Amino acid sequence: MIVVTGEALIDLVIDRDGRVAARPGGGPFNTARTIGRLGLAPVFLDRLSADTFGGLLRDRLAQDGVALGVPEECAAPTTLAAVDVGADGVAGYHFYLTGTSAVALDYPRLSAALPGGVTALHAGSLALVADPIASGIERLIATDVPAGALVMIDPNCRPEAVTDRAAYLARLYRILARADVVKVSAEDLDYLAPGVPADAAAAALLGEGPALVLFTDGPRSAHALGKGLEVSVDVPAVEVVDTIGAGDSFGGAFLAWWSGAGLTASDLHRSEPVGEALRAAVEVAAVTCTRAGAEPPWIGEVRGRPGWRSWGR
């Protein structure tokens, strides 16, 4: 049983002609959808608004095979992100969080919604920034997640949403002390450790608790670092439409591949499956970049690719 917790929101994607398209989004939301499209059945924990956008988010989860762990509708409006896409397809974000649905989930609701038999939990992004959800997730991981469950964290750092950097980092590192896997981008590392070379900053995260650090850097090679383990995989060359959801689909694909292969946290020291899962994650993220918005591939679209050929057999 995979559980994903964090924000669901609407991306208001603004193109270079000023046109606006409303698309379902949010890092954890995209991660859960990726796992669902790859054939697993995750549970998503966040509050969705009773407004029209909330209904759109709810429908998209159902279409992608994701169960909503907190079905009660929230009176607060849906969280929004204004997204500017540059000529290179790279997205920039501005978030509207205060008083919105995505952050209106406290520890008692999270704890009550956590299903039994959890084998893996994924958390991250804006949900680690704003309360009450941020404090709720920290407590959930510390007290409710079973000791043997794999915990994966994707900080997906959003400096524009952080009002107290010191408090944010303190919470993140407390959470990482229980994490088994942390996924970071080059931008995340630059925020977490300004001025430190990315490879050194990624390696330093191993000292915070995780057994494995996954490090992505756009079109450059993706890396997995562990104690005595280092694996790199080249990123396929694709025609990039935009990068929205690419990192989320990478993390979701890694966790889906790992869990679907019957592997656990105790296997994270094994370089061969780590390399295979890394390749599978890179392939899913590459496909996502070829589509507008966060639209990860279905399992049938990647089954023939090298990272997925032997998976599930």
Side-chain angles (χ1 to χ4, degrees), residues 67-96:
L68 184 57
V70 185
E72 299 84 7
E73 294 180 342
C74 178
T78 296
T79 304
L80 301 176
V83 186
D84 291 302
V85 179
D88 57 358
V90 176
Y93 298 83
H94 181 78
F95 301 98
Y96 299 87

Side-chain angles (χ1 to χ4, degrees), residues 10 26 45 64 68 132 180 193 201 261 272 291 297:
I10 292 293
L45 301 185
D64 291 344
L68 184 57
D180 299 292
E272 183 175 351
R291 301 168 171 177

Side-chain angles (χ1 to χ4, degrees), residues 99-236:
T100 64
S101 59
V103 300
L105 184 60
D106 56 17
Y107 169 73
R109 284 192 177 91
L110 273 169
S111 180
L114 187 71
V118 175
T119 57
L121 180 135
H122 182 289
S125 201
L126 292 172
L128 303 184
V129 174
D131 279 326
I133 193 171
S135 297
I137 288 175
E138 180 183 359
R139 186 175 173 188
L140 186 81
I141 290 173
T143 63
D144 292 60
V145 176
L150 186 152
V151 174
M152 182 172 179
I153 302 297
D154 180 358
N156 198 14
C157 300
R158 302 299 192 189
E160 59 273 26
V162 176
T163 57
D164 186 334
R165 185 175 187 274
Y168 166 70
L169 292 181
R171 173 182 288 132
L172 175 60
Y173 285 113
R174 290 194 300 268
I175 291 173
L176 290 183
R178 167 60 182 89
D180 299 292
V181 181
V182 58
K183 181 267 171 188
V184 286
S185 65
E187 292 80 7
D188 292 332
L189 293 172
D190 187 55
Y191 180 76
L192 296 174
V196 178
D199 55 349
L205 288 174
L206 291 172
E208 301 297 333
L212 189 70
V213 175
L214 304 176
F215 165 40
T216 63
D217 189 12
R220 289 162 284 280
S221 297
H223 308 275
L225 306 176
K227 296 176 175 64
L229 179 154
E230 183 169 355
V231 181
S232 298
V233 170
D234 290 337
V235 174

Side-chain angles (χ1 to χ4, degrees), residues 224-305:
L225 306 176
K227 296 176 175 64
L229 179 154
E230 183 169 355
V231 181
S232 298
V233 170
D234 290 337
V235 174
V238 297
E239 185 173 341
V240 176
V241 174
D242 65 47
T243 62
I244 298 171
D248 311 325
S249 64
F250 174 97
F254 185 94
L255 187 55
W257 192 100
W258 197 260
S259 296
L263 300 169
T264 68
S266 64
D267 297 301
L268 291 170
H269 67 285
R270 298 170 53 197
S271 60
E272 183 175 351
V274 166
E276 292 181 19
L278 184 66
R279 183 176 305 280
V282 162
E283 290 166 351
V284 167
V287 173
T288 304
C289 288
T290 66
R291 301 168 171 177
E295 290 296 338
W298 296 83
I299 184 60
E301 297 178 273
V302 296
R303 177 65 80 180
R305 296 172 186 261

